[in-house]
Amino acid sequence: MKKPWVKKLFIGLGIIFGLVLLANFGLNIWLKTQLPNYIKKNTDYKVSYKSLDVDLGTGNIFASGITINNKDPQNINVIGLQGTIDTLKISRFGIYDALFNKTISSSDLLLSKPNLNIILAKPVDKKTGKKPNPVSFENIRINKGTINIFKHTKQKFVEVNQLDLFIENLQMTEESVENKLPVVFDHYSIRGKDFFFQPDDIYTIKIDKITTANGQMSVENFQLTPIISFEQFKKSYPKKTQMYQFSIPKMNFKDIVLKKNKVSLANANFQNPFVKIYTTGVSAIKKAEKKRNFELNLDDIQLSNAKIQVLKPNDTDLFFAEDLSVNINKLEFSKESSQEVIPVLYKDFKIAGKGIHYNDQQNISVESFNLNPKGGQIKNLVAKPGNSPKMTMDFKTNLIQFNINDFKFVDKKLNLDVKDLLIDGINGKITAGNAVPKKKIAVKGIEFPILVGKISLKNSNITYESGKQPLTFNALNATVNQLELVENAAKNGMAVKIKDYALTTKNFIYTTKFYKMNVGALAVTKNKIDIDQFAMTPLVSRAQFIRMIPVESDLYDIKVKQISAQGSWDFFSANKFINASNVTINSANANIFRSKIPADDPKEKLLYSKLLRSIKIPVYIANLNLKNSVLEYEEDTPKSDGPGKLIFTNFNMNVKNLNSAKMKGKSTQVAIKINCDFMETSPLSVNWGFNTADLGDRFSISGKLINIPARALNSFIVPYLSVSATGTIQEMLFDFKGNPKGIGGAFNLKHKDLKISILDKESKEKKGFLSAVANVFIKTDSDKLPESVIVEGVERDPTKSFFNMFWKGIEDGLKKTLIGINIDKTKKTVEGAVNTVKDVKGSVKDVKNSVKQAKQDISKELATPKTNTDTPTEEKKTEKPKEKKGLFKKIFKKKEKPETE
């Protein structure tokens, strides 16, 4: 027997079920008859339909033949809906929210053949927080739809035809519009044609067709196109730096996810894209970066056969890539990555291209290249001159290749470790522009040291020109091992360290204003230098050189068979130095020419000790050897008949401790020993010494000259002084000491049958009478053991070279030896002899005139040198005879060398 409560339960359930059925039946009748009016009265929309079925229990709604419109089309604060829907199916419709909260929400929405125009509501007022009435669907399915979405301004925003769409968790709010994403969803399936999207007043996006299958999306003919001209863009947006245009015939990707602030997709493939960028030339204004939470994750992205063009403001190419392919794995753009120097993260990438062109300050083209995190390769790089004021490049390189050990950014600083770099076959010219004053610039964004394991330069022919002085390397091969770029605030923020290097080149050429210097072969390492067939040849004639120089200067013509050096040196780091154990110069042939026609150089000529001390880096050469060489010195004056010549053959020189007084622990005492043949006949030996650390620049020089025929000097003195000599200088000894003020010491001369002949300046014929008178006052023979004379009071002209002072000392010794120590008394004797001849021959007019002429000529020849004819007033009044020093001064005088000597 059934219990009473069970019976009551069944009766209650039956009543409830009956009421539900009755309510559902009544609701359907009400909805069919009253819902359109209710929606019209209580919402912002007008809805009509042919049929409508509602399940109150499940919230499922099915309707057909629907038409929807806004009650007030001018109300921009709510989403505008206008159009028709063939079939509508809603699952789990939120009836309570629709009745009492005035919101439309559903878990699932099916629209069949919708033809809708949607006008998005006006953006939310962020100050008041007021929101428009939302429409929310968890899932949406559209079949064969035509959708047009407009902004609240009635500007078309999105359009699509023949749309088949399935989206899970769809959100479409004004917030998504501000982020330029009209919809946000989790998963999707989409198919459609004639897509249109206009995010702003500059661009439109058009897509011919989109299809999806098995999570793979295919997009055909994607186009981003400006809707204004470039000229309009520059006028309307004067602060913007670039305008874009690009098209992608086909792209594929899968697993796209648009959720909140995150866009994710995988296996993106963009085929044959064309990107065009217009630059305005406006400098970007740096603004405080707005923090964005937008994230982009691309699992794999591939660009195939891309074409990229960047235009200058004048519509000419700045950059053009004919064929570019890119593969990037795990590309990520996030809030964290945007703070880095490279605002993206990646796992791996590969970039390859063909036909790359860049035209700006330098015009550069590349036949092909490829790049990945571990290295890269560039083939057939060609550089042509552009409009760079700093440097002009005109060369071609066959291959540039490099491998990278590590490449990353740490704390916004570049950390780079390059395994090796190869440059093969660089041929052409680099020209430096106008020199710009160097400024100390702090290097930022680099984590020091930057390491390069090995740099190789092969098979190259390159010319570097600065100030119209080209430097040419032919058959150049070079290797640098363990290069480091290190921080150095004192040297523009960076300095170089090199562990080892080697360089070889043939036919090395350097051209200056006056010279062409070339080397047959050059080999350089950090411990050895070998130079073969060095030549320094004038590019101008002697006459041209004289016209081109403002003051006296030497013209050199030098040839050297071989130069070698051993030791250690550093020319690259901040702490440069030269420390050579041995330098050998073999078989040099040097000709030095100087003309006295240009004006004297008024600059002070430093002595060698001070010149060496002025070298800024530590320099030390233990042994410098000059072997088997020839030195010629030629000099002319405005009145000379061709240049005079001094010749030193079989020239051998050893220099010990050549230094700049800046290397700790090394001797600063320079010792020079010279052995040679003077005028190709007479052995000459010289010992010369000074201390570069001596600020007083004291020096000593001694030497011996043996068996020099006086006629050997004629090649110098005949054209220069119109004087010839005969006899023999058997031995000349000198032992001098000096400083920048002057020179002095002992001088000893042993000679035999020494006579001179004074020649006519035009015909070079001997003037017998003048020659006879001059020889009266010369000691023809020295004693067997001649005494030394003391050279003293020889002052240095600071505008003349060391050798000028040295030859003044020799001249003083010669005068005291050949004419006598009491030179003033000798002068008076000369004048007395001339007067006696005048009295004896006074009755014969012709003889008298000859004597008068002889007196004048002797006075000229034996008086003060012609270059110093100005005499103090007092001496002119007393008509005191001048010192008899000019003749031998001119015979033996060695003219000054340039300031650099």
Side-chain angles (χ1 to χ4, degrees), residues 179 181 184 259-263 292-296:
N179 287 327
L181 294 174
V184 178
K259 187 175 183 180
K260 293 183 180 179
N261 62 343
K262 184 176 181 180
V263 177
R292 297 179 180 270
N293 293 322
F294 180 78
E295 293 184 15
L296 174 65

Side-chain angles (χ1 to χ4, degrees), residues 102-128:
K102 295 184 179 181
T103 61
I104 298 175
S105 62
S106 171
S107 62
D108 295 286
L109 171 66
L110 169 64
L111 300 175
S112 178
K113 297 181 179 180
N115 189 338
L116 294 175
N117 294 321
I118 303 171
I119 302 174
L120 299 174
K122 186 178 181 179
V124 176
D125 187 342
K126 295 183 179 180
K127 294 182 179 179
T128 63

Side-chain angles (χ1 to χ4, degrees), residues 600-605 796-801 896-897:
D600 289 341
D601 186 354
K603 295 180 181 178
E604 180 184 0
K605 310 303 185 297
R796 179 189 180 226
D797 182 347
T799 66
K800 307 298 183 183
S801 69
E896 62 273 17
K897 290 181 180 291

Side-chain angles (χ1 to χ4, degrees), residues 230 234 241-243 277-281 310-314 318:
F230 184 48
K234 289 190 288 185
T241 60
Q242 295 173 331
M243 185 176 80
I277 302 172
Y278 300 83
T279 60
T280 63
V310 182
L311 296 173
K312 299 177 184 178
N314 63 2
L318 174 65

Side-chain angles (χ1 to χ4, degrees), residues 448-519:
F448 290 104
I450 290 180
L451 306 175
V452 183
K454 184 178 181 179
I455 301 175
S456 299
L457 178 64
K458 294 184 177 180
N459 310 316
S460 297
N461 302 280
I462 190 73
T463 296
Y464 175 78
E465 182 174 327
S466 178
K468 297 184 179 179
Q469 296 186 172
L471 175 64
T472 300
F473 299 87
N474 292 299
L476 176 63
N477 290 275
T479 302
V480 177
N481 293 314
Q482 300 300 318
L483 180 144
E484 291 185 32
L485 294 178
V486 296
E487 190 170 16
N488 185 347
K491 298 289 184 180
N492 292 326
M494 237 186 309
V496 179
K497 288 184 177 179
I498 294 175
K499 182 179 180 181
D500 192 16
Y501 61 88
L503 178 148
T504 63
T505 183
K506 295 180 180 179
N507 196 21
F508 169 85
I509 301 171
Y510 179 51
T511 305
T512 66
K513 181 179 180 180
F514 296 116
Y515 300 100
K516 177 183 178 181
M517 287 174 274
N518 61 280
V519 173

Side-chain angles (χ1 to χ4, degrees), residues 533-709:
Q533 303 302 326
F534 171 83
M536 179 176 172
T537 308
L539 294 173
V540 296
S541 67
R542 291 179 174 182
Q544 289 174 318
F545 180 74
I546 292 169
R547 289 193 296 267
M548 294 170 68
I549 57 176
V551 295
E552 286 185 12
S553 184
D554 290 332
L555 182 65
Y556 299 93
D557 189 348
I558 301 172
K559 294 178 176 62
V560 183
K561 183 178 180 181
Q562 189 176 51
I563 303 172
S564 63
Q566 295 82 36
S568 60
W569 34 78
D570 184 349
F571 304 120
F572 303 102
S573 73
N575 301 315
K576 299 177 177 63
F577 71 90
I578 298 173
N579 183 11
S581 58
N582 190 61
V583 175
T584 301
I585 303 171
N586 191 23
S587 299
N589 191 325
N591 179 276
I592 304 171
F593 169 77
R594 170 165 290 213
S595 174
K596 303 299 293 181
I597 295 174
D600 289 341
D601 186 354
K603 295 180 181 178
E604 180 184 0
K605 310 303 185 297
L606 304 180
L607 297 187
Y608 288 98
S609 53
K610 191 170 184 179
L611 274 174
L612 289 167
R613 197 165 58 245
S614 66
I615 298 174
K616 294 181 179 181
I617 66 172
V619 174
Y620 180 79
I621 301 175
N623 277 286
L624 171 64
N625 291 289
L626 176 62
K627 297 181 178 180
N628 306 317
S629 298
V630 177
L631 173 62
E632 297 178 347
Y633 177 78
E634 297 184 65
E635 181 177 293
D636 70 354
T637 69
K639 295 183 179 181
S640 65
D641 183 19
K645 179 182 287 188
L646 294 176
I647 303 174
F648 302 86
T649 55
N650 295 322
F651 196 97
N652 293 276
M653 178 176 69
N654 173 259
V655 183
K656 294 187 181 298
N657 306 325
L658 188 64
N659 70 93
S660 62
K662 292 181 177 63
M663 189 168 290
K664 294 181 179 180
K666 299 293 185 181
S667 173
T668 57
Q669 184 64 47
V670 179
I672 303 171
K673 187 174 182 179
I674 299 172
N675 288 285
C676 64
D677 291 336
F678 179 61
M679 302 305 286
E680 301 182 282
T681 59
S682 307
L684 171 65
S685 61
V686 177
N687 290 290
W688 179 15
F690 53 83
N691 192 330
T692 53
D694 177 14
L695 300 182
D697 292 315
R698 291 180 289 269
F699 65 88
S700 64
I701 184 167
S702 61
K704 179 169 65 173
L705 178 63
I706 302 174
N707 293 328
I708 175 169

Side-chain angles (χ1 to χ4, degrees), residues 152 156-157 162 179 187 202 230 245 347 362 515 577 629 660 766 815 821 848:
H152 71 281
K156 185 179 285 188
F157 184 42
Q162 298 183 30
N179 287 327
H187 300 287
I202 303 174
F230 184 48
Q245 176 182 350
K347 181 179 179 181
Q362 298 291 162
Y515 300 100
F577 71 90
S629 298
S660 62
K766 179 180 177 180
K815 287 189 298 185
I821 296 176
K848 179 179 179 181

